[in-house]
Amino acid sequence: MNLDEARHRHGAMADHAAQMVMAGDPLADAVIAELDQLGKEGRHILNRGLTDGLASLGEQPPSAIEALLRQLETVPSWVDPAQIDRGEVALLSVPQPWFEICAISSALVHTYASPAIARLLAQTGQLTKMASRRLVETGMWGRQSTLPGGLHRGASGYISTAQVRLLHARIRATALQHGWDTAVWGLPIGQTDMARTWLDFTLTPFTALAAVGIELSAEEQKSLYRYWSYTAYLLGIDERFYQGVTDHAGARRLQNLLDMTNAEPDDNSRALTAAMVSATAGAMACAPNPLMAEDRLRDLLHGLLRRAFGSELSDHLGIPESDATPLLPLIALLNSQARRWQTFTADSAETARRENAQSPGPDEAFRLPGGTFYEQNIAVPTTA
């Protein structure tokens, strides 16, 4: 959509984004094809390689599995190992309640604004049930991959990130086998979709958090994008999308390109958005010592999303007006003052991050029967 205007505003990057609509993830796609050939034994090998490393597989592991593991284990020179030891410090500075109500919900809702992504997800059916599960799984992956040391080889975040990448490849292969129309919708979960999703875990959550007064300093933004650039590398995202994005301003330029060339949200987008808001409000209302009743939480979410996304996109997504809207400036002021004292000294900031990292996350609060979908995708079957 709007390719000429995008070229005028973004130059060669617009053509690159258009080309990447039809590009997948060759390394992960090859592993899925190889697993289909090797079956149970291939999954054993892959899981051992993710946990114990490529060297544990001997001299001649399956070629596609070897190629993927070699890429995953080759840490780029621009990655600071000390930063991986610390974890994603910007996100860890956010109090858990605001993270739950703002970050994951806004990330998923903005992802659903893409009609191609929404169409792919809606094909699974049972939107309300799937929304609750997707909320929990996304929170689990986000927490595992951002805790201190989570992205070191063999750590839970490293493994779950590789599993998410392979789940994308599985969905891509399945959709193509079932007649997905690439001429109309592009490649399912193509590189441009993956770049959009990357923004929905960097820029989008902090846009929502800024709406309630939780904003990042320039240094925190640099740390955020350095960390998530490595996550993008592990996810197999084309480096031209994230290399050079070092702060929110750079991320907004990329988001503007992807949004302006995207079709408007459709009925699938609106159905997924409504299901996600209901799932978020329901989960928070059922937690121990809930902040407020479910209907109030839903109304608050509507207000937060409208404040973060603006009226036009919110209307397209079917997000209604909120009675909580007049209170949001006051909430933002109070959070801004609290954050000022939280980050007043290096010691106070570190204390806050440590406390937030120790707060119960989705993996402690929920148990998913059979594990997450990204775990199930490469799990070894119990029978041949």
Side-chain angles (χ1 to χ4, degrees):
M1 304 287 291
N2 308 314
L3 187 55
D4 288 340
E5 182 182 354
R7 285 171 175 151
H8 177 73
R9 188 177 299 182
H10 297 281
M13 195 62 189
D15 286 302
H16 180 68
Q19 293 168 359
M20 291 294 101
V21 167
M22 294 298 295
D25 178 355
L27 291 177
D29 293 337
V31 169
I32 294 301
E34 191 168 69
L35 290 179
D36 288 343
Q37 291 179 340
L38 298 176
K40 186 175 181 178
E41 180 59 24
R43 293 174 183 237
H44 271 301
I45 294 169
L46 173 62
N47 287 321
R48 188 165 69 251
L50 289 174
T51 302
D52 300 328
L54 177 58
S56 71
L57 302 184
E59 294 184 0
Q60 290 186 314
S63 59
I65 292 174
E66 178 184 16
L68 176 66
L69 290 174
R70 194 173 300 283
Q71 186 263 337
L72 289 171
E73 294 182 15
T74 303
V75 180
S77 60
W78 44 264
V79 174
D80 180 4
Q83 187 172 31
I84 306 304
D85 291 337
R86 293 192 300 271
E88 208 293 271
V89 295
L91 200 59
L92 292 175
S93 72
V94 178
Q96 190 68 24
W98 286 117
F99 173 81
E100 291 177 2
I101 202 168
C102 289
I104 299 300
S105 58
S106 65
L108 291 171
V109 166
H110 190 260
T111 297
Y112 300 156
S114 165
I117 296 176
R119 181 182 182 86
L120 186 64
L121 293 172
Q123 288 181 348
T124 61
Q126 299 179 298
L127 293 185
T128 302
K129 179 181 177 181
M130 296 305 297
S132 299
R133 188 180 183 99
R134 192 167 290 121
L135 179 70
V136 174
E137 291 192 353
T138 303
M140 290 176 66
W141 169 69
R143 184 173 177 82
Q144 290 169 345
S145 60
T146 55
L147 285 175
L151 292 184
H152 284 307
R153 195 196 75 190
S156 60
Y158 168 90
I159 293 172
S160 63
T161 299
Q163 290 171 337
V164 167
R165 178 177 180 178
L166 289 164
L167 178 61
H168 290 165
R170 171 63 69 191
I171 294 171
R172 203 158 34 242
T174 301
L176 291 173
Q177 289 168 3
H178 287 81
W180 180 267
D181 191 344
T182 57
V184 176
W185 298 105
L187 194 70
I189 317 184
Q191 283 289 337
T192 303
D193 292 333
M194 289 192 281
R196 180 185 183 86
T197 303
W198 180 73
L199 289 173
D200 288 338
F201 289 95
T202 49
L203 177 63
T204 301
F206 284 98
T207 301
L209 287 163
V212 293
I214 300 174
E215 299 195 55
L216 299 183
S217 67
E219 190 56 39
E220 285 175 318
Q221 290 181 40
K222 290 179 182 178
S223 175
L224 172 76
Y225 288 99
R226 281 198 300 266
Y227 192 94
W228 278 89
S229 288
Y230 183 44
T231 307
Y233 171 84
L234 293 175
L235 286 169
I237 300 175
D238 183 88
E239 66 178 11
R240 284 192 60 181
F241 282 119
Y242 60 87
Q243 288 293 304
V245 178
T246 60
D247 55 20
H248 285 341
R252 287 192 191 97
R253 287 192 292 272
L254 177 58
Q255 188 178 71
N256 176 261
L257 166 62
L258 300 182
D259 281 350
M260 72 182 298
T261 53
N262 204 38
E264 291 182 353
D266 61 7
D267 287 343
N268 288 324
S269 303
R270 287 182 279 276
L272 286 163
T273 295
M276 182 52 60
V277 170
S278 292
T280 304
M284 295 191 71
C286 291
N289 304 313
L291 296 174
M292 59 189 75
E294 184 175 343
D295 59 339
R296 295 291 184 89
L297 283 165
R298 188 181 296 106
D299 186 60
L300 177 60
L301 273 165
H302 289 153
L304 290 171
L305 292 171
R306 290 191 70 88
R307 187 174 171 89
F309 295 150
S311 297
E312 183 177 357
L313 179 57
S314 296
D315 288 343
H316 284 309
L317 287 169
I319 301 170
E321 297 283 353
S322 165
D323 292 337
T325 299
L327 296 176
L328 293 178
L330 176 60
I331 292 173
L333 176 62
L334 294 174
N335 274 332
S336 178
Q337 292 297 320
R339 187 167 178 82
R340 177 188 174 194
W341 289 110
Q342 173 198 325
T343 59
F344 190 70
T345 68
D347 286 344
S348 64
E350 178 57 32
T351 297
R353 286 195 293 269
R354 187 166 55 250
E355 290 175 351
N356 292 333
Q358 293 171 350
S359 298
D363 47 340
E364 288 90 2
F366 296 91
R367 291 293 180 266
L368 294 173
T372 64
F373 282 139
Y374 53 81
E375 290 169 330
Q376 293 174 13
N377 177 49
I378 61 171
V380 178
T382 55
T383 57

